[in-house]
């Protein structure tokens, strides 16, 4: 038991913690900042904003991304919006309310101090983005427009049509390109991190593969920031981009970073249902659609009329019936579970029976086509493009899909992992969303981390760093050799099957047994099956070509090898968390109505896993969560 | 559904490429074009061959990674991204050619993968508003007319895929460049740098080896985001002004930023 979890939360009342930290942290003078080099891996909202900010402060920044351009990171696909407590709508919104909503939405499994800071910084993000030229929607008078999102009773979500993530990411990307132009930052595109270099217990650099040439090389720095996103692709079919992967955080875990709450993965309720086996990915339809769309299924399992012909009395608006005060705006985990329940009851719609209607008929009647088109025009077009059906004429069909991982690398209040000098931000860390993330909170967290928190906590770390990084340290060469060996191993299996075939099978296991609901026996059998499949993978994999060229099969195989290990840890974590919380519904722990039942006495903790060696059971550590500001209660959205 | 494909294969930038014939059968009409390529690739791997390399990521039409020239048209017949092109858009039994985006500024890296880094460098040359991170003014003290915001947004939705370049007979990237200039220059925040932005980005555009715009309009016909060629007119407007500013600056009247 070597790992020590010290969250290093400043003393004092929650509303003053961040300011007292800012007032007392150590600084690096402007003339000295150019002496430090910072590596940022990943150029999504968190990575690009962090890289741009630190470069702007004067640090030398090297940003890595596997895409051909920093602008293509998957934050680009976030649709609905970003929360901020501006209270322009004069509804009595406040930092405290956003804090409470987020803590409650996360089912009391997030750290209070972090969440408060997030809520506090939310307004500055909007200011920053507007200054960069992000074209948020405006009211007639030219003021910023807002709308509401799942799990809350105020309109605090700012948006750029249905492409908010794209616009915020382009803002951060452009800020980064500005720093590239100024010579402060360098973007290493088409480079994938394969390992972390640790020297005397500190992160000192990374090993990356140039995806174009296959060259594997070490890159030294004074600290390393991982902004590599989430791991929902472990389910194969998810809303994540095809190349999103867990390799960077998994390698960091195997080098000693604690992995927190791996089983907390969010299944998003509004995605386009799967239509066939060939499918490679699921498409999210923004949650904002639930503002005006009504979710229903036919009351009778043998219903065979077209949806538009089904009269009111034969429609089951199950969310409105079961949750009268939040209705269609219940949090994501609740909406997903209820969809699964009605489909399990045989009421699902569409060719597979795994789908529910999201209907805009009433909203179009009440508010007019123009208003609805203004809000969701591009989402309707996207739906029609993919399915060939028009939401103007017939209800959308939706079904839950894996979307976001609340779990990730454990970080302290300063976003530093258990390896000194290794930071994790955005979806790659575990921090702010507890057991369930609320809508429009991901972008808020990424940008709060990147623009406003990390640059200061990195400064604090660097100011105290009294040894220089030696790029000739043998650890760099050794880590490169280990990565090369790994590539050689994947190339040399000599089987017959493409990596994607294994990935699909792994995804099925995880979706069935570590998905919307879980239970102990299923999880245990999943671990057995994952191990078996992993063995098959290592004996029947075929990676064509060589390692010294652009080789997409090799990229896939490497990521998948890590997914096998992560999948097993997710199941182990789900077994240990012998309660239901947020997205994690253990069938053994639920009310008669299928609501999650938490066990605050035993499980008000963060479960943090420490790697002990290949094929050894990792150690489990706990960070105990205390709730001083909000009394943990059973969530009720009724 | 069954298809006959002619796919461009090229091992690397320096090597010569050529078409390779493939057949795929039993494809679901709801499969996307890229999913059809996945099916083909799994078959190629099982038969002991080298799978076809191509770029893709979000599969939702917004990241701009995918870049296929399908039957000679960037992204294919429907003015959507390659990933949003579905096999139901083709007749059963069709013969389809698949190539990378073609432009001398976009060298082929392998098969259907090209290097589009020139587009990043055009953004570097001025495609931003020069603010660093930190406290910023309260946005509602500077109202933006909703029509200006809409106009900015119509241009800002560019996904940087490069289809406009691949479609242009001159190999021009002016739709891409114009979209960024129109986005930032139509907002009050972007106004102070408007002339430098236009000038810097056009200069970089030319340096990368892209051709000039002569109003063919092929770019807007293939743009998956339906960005209008009008943005190029707006760019020219500011570019001309920029040239005047520079002339004045040389006389010492106005110092350019």
């Amino acid at each position: 038991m070597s790992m020590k979890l010290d969250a290093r939360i400043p003393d004092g009342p929650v509303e003053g913690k961040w300011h007292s930290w800012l007032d007392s942290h150590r600084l690096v003078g402007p003339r000295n900042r150019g002496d430090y080099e910072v590596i940022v891996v990943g150029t999504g909202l968190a990575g690009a904003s962090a890289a741009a900010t630190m470069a702007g402060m004067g640090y030398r920044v090297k940003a890595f991304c596997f895409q051909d351009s920093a602008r293509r990171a998957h934050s680009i696909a976030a649709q609905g919006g970003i929360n901020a407590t501006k209270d322009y709508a004069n509804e009595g919104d406040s930092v405290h309310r956003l804090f409470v909503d987020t803590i409650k939405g996360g089912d009391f499994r997030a750290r209070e101090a972090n969440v408060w800071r997030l809520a506090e910084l939310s307004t500055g993000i909007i200011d920053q983005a507007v200054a960069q030229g992000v074209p948020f929607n405006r009211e007639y008078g030219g003021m910023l427009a807002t709308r509401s999102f799942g799990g809350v009773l105020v309109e605090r979500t700012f948006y750029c049509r249905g492409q908010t993530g794209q616009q915020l990411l382009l803002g951060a990307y452009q800020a980064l390109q500005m720093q590239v132009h100024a010579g402060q930052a360098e973007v290493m595109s088409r480079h994938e991190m394969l390992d972390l270099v640790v020297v005397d217990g500190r992160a000192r650099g990374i090993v990356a593969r140039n995806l174009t040439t296959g060259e594997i090389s070490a890159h030294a720095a004074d600290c390393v920031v991982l902004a590599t996103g989430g791991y929902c692709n472990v389910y194969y079919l998810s809303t994540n981009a095809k190349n999103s992967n867990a390799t960077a955080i998994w390698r960091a875990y195997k080098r000693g970073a604690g992995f927190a709450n791996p089983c907390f993965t969010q299944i998003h309720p509004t995605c386009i249902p799967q239509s066939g086996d060939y499918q490679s990915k699921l498409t999210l339809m923004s949650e904002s659609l639930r503002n005006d769309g009504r979710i229903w299924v036919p009351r009778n399992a043998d219903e065979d009329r077209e949806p538009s012909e089904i009269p009111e009395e034969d429609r089951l608006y199950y969310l409105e019936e079961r949750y009268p005060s939040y209705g269609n705006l219940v949090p994501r985990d609740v909406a997903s579970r209820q969809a699964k329940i009605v489909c399990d009851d045989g009421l699902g719609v569409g060719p597979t029976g795994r789908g529910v209607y999201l209907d805009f008929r009433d909203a179009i009647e009440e508010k007019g086509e123009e208003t609805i088109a203004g809000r969701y025009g591009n989402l309707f077009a996207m739906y029609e493009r993919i399915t060939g059906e028009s939401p103007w004429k017939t209800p959308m069909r939706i079904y839950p899909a894996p979307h976001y991982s609340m779990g990730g690398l454990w970080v302290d209040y300063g976003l530093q992992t258990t390896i000194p000098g290794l930071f994790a931000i955005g979806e790659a860390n575990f921090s702010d969303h507890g057991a369930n993330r609320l809508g429009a909170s991901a972008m808020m967290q990424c940008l709060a981390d990147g623009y406003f928190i990390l640059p200061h906590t990195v400064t604090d770390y660097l100011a105290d760093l009294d040894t220089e990084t030696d790029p000739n340290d043998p650890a760099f060469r050794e880590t490169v050799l280990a990565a090369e060996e790994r590539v050689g191993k994947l190339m040399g299996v000599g089987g017959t099957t493409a990596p994607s075939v294994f990935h699909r099978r792994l995804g099925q296991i995880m979706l069935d047994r570590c998905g919307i609901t879980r239970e102990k026996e299923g999880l245990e059998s999943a671990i057995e099956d994952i191990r078996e499949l992993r063995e098959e993978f290592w004996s029947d994999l075929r990676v064509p070509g060589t390692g010294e060229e652009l080789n997409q099969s090799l990229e896939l195989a490497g990521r998948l090898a890590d997914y096998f290990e992560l999948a097993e840890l997710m199941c182990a974590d789900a077994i240990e968390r012998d309660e239901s919380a947020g997205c994690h519904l253990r069938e053994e722990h639920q009310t008669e109505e299928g609501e999650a039942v938490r066990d605050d006495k035993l499980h008000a903790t963060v479960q943090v896993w420490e790697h002990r060696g290949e094929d050894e059971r990792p150690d489990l550590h706990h960070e105990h969560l205390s709730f001083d500001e909000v009394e943990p209660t059973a969530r009720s959205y009724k | 559904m069954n298809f006959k494909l002619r796919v461009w294969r090229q091992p690397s930038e320096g090597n010569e490429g050529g078409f390779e014939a493939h057949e795929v059968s039993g494809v679901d009409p709801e499969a996307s074009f890229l999913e059809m390529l996945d099916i083909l690739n799994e078959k190629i791997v099982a038969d002991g061959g080298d799978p076809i390399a191509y770029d893709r990521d979000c599969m939702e039409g917004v990241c701009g990674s995918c870049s296929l020239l399908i039957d000679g048209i960037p992204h294919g017949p429907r003015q959507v991204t390659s990933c949003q092109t579905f096999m139901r858009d083709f007749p059963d039994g069709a013969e389809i050619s698949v190539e990378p985006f073609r432009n001398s500024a976009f060298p082929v890296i392998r098969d259907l993968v090209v290097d589009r880094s020139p587009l990043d460098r055009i953004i570097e040359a001025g495609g931003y508003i020069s603010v660093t991170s930190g406290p910023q003014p309260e946005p509602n003290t500077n109202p933006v007319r909703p029509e200006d915001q809409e106009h900015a947004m119509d241009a800002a939705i560019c996904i940087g895929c490069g289809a406009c370049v691949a479609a242009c007979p001159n190999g021009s990237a002016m739709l891409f460049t114009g979209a960024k200039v129109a986005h930032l220059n139509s907002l009050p925040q972007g106004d102070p740098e408007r002339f430098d932005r236009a000038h810097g980005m056009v200069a970089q555009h030319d340096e990368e080896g892209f051709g000039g715009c002569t109003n063919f309009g092929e770019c807007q016909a293939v743009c998956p985001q339906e960005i209008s060629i009008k943005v190029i007119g707006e760019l020219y407007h500011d570019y001309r002004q920029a040239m005047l500013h520079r002339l004045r600056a040389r006389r010492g009247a106005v110092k350019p930023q």
Side-chain angles (χ1 to χ4, degrees):
Chain A
M1 301 289 262
S2 58
M3 188 177 280
K4 287 213 170 53
L5 298 176
D6 177 5
R8 301 200 300 158
I9 297 167
D11 295 331
V14 72
E15 62 272 17
K17 283 183 194 295
W18 179 234
H19 278 281
S20 80
W21 193 91
L22 279 179
D23 288 344
S24 58
H25 82 84
R26 292 155 294 190
L27 295 172
V28 175
R31 257 177 300 235
N32 296 334
R33 286 178 210 148
D35 297 340
Y36 293 99
E37 178 149 356
V38 181
I39 282 178
V40 179
V41 188
T43 58
L45 283 172
S49 60
T53 304
M54 290 187 291
M57 289 162 80
Y59 297 114
R60 283 178 294 126
V61 174
K62 221 175 187 181
F64 288 78
C65 64
F66 62 69
Q67 297 90 345
D68 69 326
S69 162
R71 67 181 290 152
R72 306 207 199 282
H74 197 51
S75 302
I76 198 108
Q79 297 169 351
I82 178 166
N83 285 331
T85 60
K86 288 281 194 186
D87 196 29
Y88 288 148
N90 197 26
E91 303 163 304
D93 195 11
S94 64
V95 170
H96 184 258
R97 283 186 196 277
L98 176 54
F99 162 76
V100 171
D101 285 341
T102 309
I103 287 279
K104 185 180 160 199
D107 215 1
F108 302 94
R109 293 294 174 263
R111 202 188 273 154
E112 273 194 343
N114 286 49
V115 176
W116 185 282
R117 176 177 61 187
L118 176 65
E120 193 179 344
L121 294 174
S122 64
T123 55
I125 297 168
I126 304 301
D127 303 348
Q128 179 71 33
V130 170
Q132 290 170 341
V134 171
F136 284 117
N137 273 42
R138 301 274 174 164
E139 305 288 1
Y140 290 120
M143 303 300 167
L144 288 167
T146 50
R147 62 184 171 199
S148 63
F149 241 62
V152 302
L153 296 173
V154 290
E155 295 193 345
R156 63 160 78 99
T157 305
F158 294 78
Y159 60 101
C160 307
R161 295 187 192 154
Q163 286 127 302
T164 318
Q166 182 199 26
Q167 294 309 314
L168 288 169
L169 180 62
L170 291 180
Y173 155 79
Q174 287 162 200
L176 177 57
Q177 294 304 117
M178 176 174 95
Q179 297 300 335
V180 172
H181 187 66
Q184 280 300 124
E186 189 183 354
V187 176
M188 308 286 285
S189 60
R190 291 198 194 271
H191 276 70
E192 180 151 279
M193 170 174 164
L194 294 185
D195 212 339
L196 179 75
V197 181
V198 180
V199 182
D200 297 331
R202 284 181 190 274
R204 292 290 190 173
I206 66 166
V207 166
R209 181 168 180 270
N210 178 331
L211 299 182
T212 309
T213 64
E215 191 197 351
I216 294 174
S217 56
H219 303 263
D222 294 291
C223 69
V224 175
V225 181
L226 298 187
T228 53
Y231 50 85
C232 269
N233 267 350
V234 74
Y235 293 98
Y236 185 66
L237 282 181
S238 80
T239 66
N240 289 12
K242 281 305 286 178
N243 298 302
S244 299
N245 68 83
T247 289
I249 57 172
W250 191 251
R251 296 284 120 200
Y253 163 73
K254 294 184 88 167
R255 294 273 170 200
F259 203 119
N261 296 336
C263 81
F264 284 167
T265 48
Q266 180 172 73
I267 317 286
H268 194 291
T270 52
C271 302
I272 300 177
Q274 186 181 359
S275 59
D277 293 335
Y278 55 83
Q279 202 153 337
S280 63
K281 130 119 212 207
L282 295 171
T283 301
L284 177 89
M285 297 309 296
S286 168
E287 177 167 16
S288 61
L289 293 166
R290 289 201 272 144
N291 267 313
D292 288 299
R294 298 180 69 193
I295 295 176
W296 63 279
V297 288
R299 277 193 192 277
N300 308 310
D302 52 1
E303 183 62 68
D304 55 4
R305 286 170 286 186
E306 287 295 310
S308 55
E309 287 163 13
I310 300 174
E312 221 42 36
E313 63 272 18
D314 289 336
R315 296 174 170 209
L316 174 61
Y317 293 94
Y318 56 91
L319 288 178
E320 295 173 23
E321 263 181 35
R322 292 170 195 172
Y323 304 94
S325 76
Y326 281 71
N328 293 299
L329 288 175
V330 292
R332 291 176 174 178
D333 54 331
V334 178
S336 289
R337 224 147 37 224
Q338 291 296 329
K340 178 175 189 289
I341 291 171
V342 294
C343 291
D344 286 347
D345 290 346
L347 301 177
V349 298
T352 59
R354 308 305 294 181
V356 300
Y357 290 128
L358 176 62
D359 198 342
F360 290 88
R361 183 195 63 182
D362 298 349
I364 294 168
E365 244 166 55
E366 268 167 39
K367 296 174 184 161
E369 278 197 22
E370 204 180 322
T371 308
I372 298 300
R375 287 181 192 171
Y376 314 111
N378 67 311
L379 295 171
F380 279 25
M382 179 173 170
Y383 181 85
E384 188 170 354
R385 208 162 62 216
I386 292 172
T387 63
E389 291 177 2
S390 165
W392 295 104
K393 297 182 189 125
T394 186
M396 287 183 178
R397 279 180 294 115
I398 54 163
Y399 196 68
H403 176 57
Y404 184 90
S405 42
M406 281 73 69
L409 293 182
W410 184 88
V411 289
D412 65 13
Y413 189 70
L415 307 179
Q416 191 164 199
T417 68
T418 53
I419 300 176
L422 179 69
F423 296 79
I425 56 177
E427 193 178 349
N429 74 23
F430 87 103
S431 64
D432 300 355
H433 306 297
N436 174 54
R437 180 173 68 72
L438 285 185
S441 291
M443 296 197 262
M444 174 172 69
Q445 184 223 336
C446 286
L447 293 179
D449 286 359
Y451 284 133
F452 302 127
I453 303 171
L454 180 92
H456 299 302
T457 61
V458 159
T459 295
D460 182 58
Y461 172 79
L462 294 176
D464 198 37
L465 188 65
D466 50 10
T467 48
E468 283 183 21
T469 299
D470 173 13
N472 296 317
D473 191 284
F476 285 93
R477 188 68 208 133
E478 282 160 22
T479 315
V480 168
L481 285 176
E484 283 173 348
E485 198 178 305
R486 209 176 148 71
V487 166
K489 210 174 143 199
L490 288 163
M491 296 298 309
V493 177
T496 58
T497 308
S500 51
V501 177
F502 294 105
H503 197 171
R504 213 174 288 135
R505 288 169 62 192
L506 174 66
Q508 201 57 54
I509 297 173
M510 293 302 286
L511 200 58
D512 286 347
R513 284 172 265 176
C514 199
I516 299 180
T517 62
R518 298 106 188 249
E519 47 101 23
K520 188 159 186 274
E521 262 174 43
L523 290 163
E524 283 168 350
S525 73
I527 292 179
E528 297 294 311
D529 290 355
I530 293 165
R531 284 184 185 163
E532 238 170 69
L533 187 62
R534 191 173 136 202
E535 259 175 48
E536 205 183 318
F537 170 82
W538 282 109
S539 62
D540 189 32
L541 173 71
R542 173 161 186 266
V543 181
T546 71
E548 288 82 45
E549 58 186 345
L550 178 76
N551 188 335
Q552 294 172 330
S553 297
L554 175 63
E555 294 164 25
L556 265 180
R559 295 164 189 166
L560 185 55
D562 291 334
Y563 277 136
F564 278 117
E565 300 177 15
L566 170 59
E568 196 178 319
L569 189 70
M570 287 168 68
C571 294
D573 187 56
I575 292 171
E576 288 294 332
R577 190 167 285 282
D578 195 11
E579 64 158 354
S580 293
C583 68
H584 171 69
L585 188 104
R586 281 282 296 268
E587 287 175 19
E588 303 93 318
H589 305 286
Q590 56 180 329
T591 64
E592 274 176 21
E593 292 157 310
E595 304 290 345
V597 177
R598 290 195 320 265
D599 180 348
D600 288 338
K601 275 210 181 85
L602 278 176
H603 291 288
T605 67
V606 182
Q607 294 189 170
V608 188
W609 296 85
E610 180 185 9
H611 180 65
R612 302 299 298 171
E614 298 296 330
D615 297 317
E616 272 185 57
R617 189 179 158 80
D619 283 344
L620 175 61
H621 305 265
H622 294 276
E623 178 196 341
H624 293 275
L625 297 168
S626 59
F627 293 90
D628 307 320
E629 299 298 316
V630 213
E631 178 75 19
T633 49
R635 290 189 309 173
S636 171
Y637 291 94
K638 292 205 179 260
Chain B
M1 299 177 87
N2 304 318
F3 301 98
K4 287 186 183 131
L5 300 176
R6 289 172 66 241
V7 185
W8 184 264
R9 304 301 304 263
Q10 186 174 336
S12 64
E13 189 186 338
N15 293 55
E16 265 196 29
F19 284 103
E20 191 176 271
H22 287 280
E23 289 190 13
V24 273
S25 52
V27 179
D28 191 303
E30 299 302 314
S32 70
F33 200 87
L34 302 187
E35 285 165 347
M36 182 274 296
L37 286 182
D38 286 344
I39 295 170
L40 175 60
N41 269 342
E42 279 184 15
K43 190 173 148 254
I44 292 176
V45 173
D47 294 346
D50 272 352
I52 303 154
Y54 62 92
D55 269 327
R56 56 105 169 258
D57 207 22
C58 80
M59 307 284 278
E60 299 180 13
V62 68
C63 75
S65 293
C66 56
S67 42
L68 303 181
L69 198 67
I70 301 171
D71 279 341
I73 305 169
H75 294 312
R78 273 186 49 227
Q79 205 185 340
V80 292
T81 56
S82 310
C83 68
Q84 300 288 293
T85 300
F86 289 85
M87 296 324 290
R88 60 172 183 257
D89 302 334
F90 299 87
D92 194 16
E95 190 176 316
I96 307 168
S97 78
V98 193
E99 295 168 76
F101 277 2
R102 301 287 189 187
N103 184 281
S104 57
F106 291 169
V108 172
I109 294 175
R110 185 188 177 96
D111 296 343
L112 309 172
V113 177
V114 296
D115 176 6
R116 285 171 288 183
S117 56
L119 300 183
D120 283 330
R121 290 191 289 273
I122 292 176
I123 299 294
E124 257 172 59
Y128 43 76
I129 290 169
S130 298
V131 289
T132 47
S133 312
Q136 305 293 348
E138 161 56 43
N140 275 354
T141 54
N142 189 4
V144 177
R145 297 192 311 167
E147 50 272 36
D148 290 344
Q149 179 269 328
E150 285 290 325
H151 185 78
M153 190 65 190
D154 284 340
I157 55 176
C158 167
I159 58 175
C161 63
C164 47
V165 180
C168 178
N170 300 337
S172 172
M174 282 312 243
L175 191 70
F176 170 83
T177 310
K180 188 43 67 191
V181 170
H183 159 207
L184 295 174
N185 286 12
S186 55
L187 293 172
Q189 304 94 300
D191 188 60
E193 296 172 287
R194 64 187 311 130
F195 302 124
D196 285 286
R197 178 174 301 119
H199 187 270
M201 291 178 74
V202 169
Q204 188 65 36
H205 171 275
D206 295 351
E207 198 177 311
E208 296 291 345
F210 293 112
C213 170
T214 50
N215 294 321
F216 278 104
E218 295 288 332
C219 51
Q220 69 173 5
V222 299
C223 175
Q225 298 295 82
E226 299 177 22
I227 291 171
S228 162
I229 197 171
K230 284 181 193 162
V231 298
I232 301 179
E234 290 173 43
L235 166 61
Y236 280 160
H237 177 269
D238 281 343
Y239 183 70
R240 276 193 297 271
Q241 295 282 322
M243 298 309 282
L244 289 173
H245 274 245
R246 303 248 153 200
L247 287 174
R248 275 191 224 136
R250 276 205 293 277
R251 290 199 299 269
V254 176
K255 189 175 174 295
Q257 287 168 337

